[in-house]
Amino acid sequence: MKVFKELAKAVRRFAFEFTDEGHVYFPESKLLRMGVFTPKLIAPDGTVVEELPLAHNRTVMEGRNHQLDVVFHGGTPVTTWYLGVFEGNYTPLDTDTAATFPGSSTECTAYDEATRVAFVEGAASGGIISNAGNEAVFTFNANKTIYGGFLISSSAKGATTGVLMSAARFSPSRVVEPLFSLQIGYNISLVDA
């Protein structure tokens, strides 16, 4: 609890910085808030074809403002977040929002799941919250090149409402064939820097 009181004081004094990647850094406490996507390509029989490199996300300004409003200003929390994927050759920007990102990034909707896939996180432990064991699964119904993923508050594919929290470009992009799946883990951490 002490660390949160310290962070609250730091926020009130504007004693924090944003890194080039959109992470929040608290110099006095030496804490860094960041997220990482862990994508895997899965064959129709369920075997892991490939574990893609970790993709560090950009926490966009809209997402950072939402976090600060909820934690320190009594803002309304989002009870369920959703993961999505994009097929545009796009690099996420700090200025991306839920209203602009689906179009700018060319959100991919060619998967069997009816909506964006819920981010089913476990309780925070050791400064990390994650969907480990409940990774989001996107089962593709068309050949698509997937360039990255994102975390957003609205469930409908292609929706331009809600809050965009973060997005990441996968490196390299990955071609996914019909019946293959992309399994996406997502970890958010508040760690000593």
Side-chain angles (χ1 to χ4, degrees), residues 21-157:
E21 297 81 22
H23 304 309
V24 181
Y25 176 60
F26 296 90
E28 292 173 5
S29 302
K30 296 188 178 15
L31 287 173
L32 180 67
R33 186 266 179 223
M34 60 185 225
V36 177
F37 287 83
T38 56
K40 294 179 184 176
L41 185 61
I42 310 293
D45 66 3
T47 60
V48 176
V49 175
E50 179 183 12
E51 292 191 27
L52 283 67
L54 298 178
H56 291 271
N57 74 198
R58 168 177 291 283
T59 302
V60 299
M61 182 61 71
E62 181 175 64
R64 295 191 311 259
N65 286 340
H66 175 77
Q67 290 175 73
L68 294 171
D69 278 341
V70 169
V71 174
F72 302 109
H73 191 61
T76 304
V78 171
T79 56
T80 305
W81 290 92
Y82 298 89
L83 290 165
V85 291
F86 60 92
E87 60 183 278
N89 185 0
Y90 184 76
T91 300
L93 303 172
D94 189 50
T95 55
D96 285 325
T97 66
T100 63
F101 189 77
S104 298
S105 69
T106 314
E107 178 179 357
C108 179
T109 60
Y111 51 89
D112 291 344
E113 291 69 27
T115 65
R116 294 169 175 155
V117 182
F119 173 63
V120 182
E121 77 284 355
S125 176
I128 298 172
I129 196 162
S130 170
N131 68 345
N134 291 305
E135 290 87 353
V137 176
F138 299 83
T139 307
F140 287 82
N141 52 37
N143 276 332
K144 290 293 177 179
T145 300
I146 301 301
Y147 283 88
F150 60 96
L151 183 70
I152 196 165
S153 68
S154 51
S155 64
K157 294 178 182 180

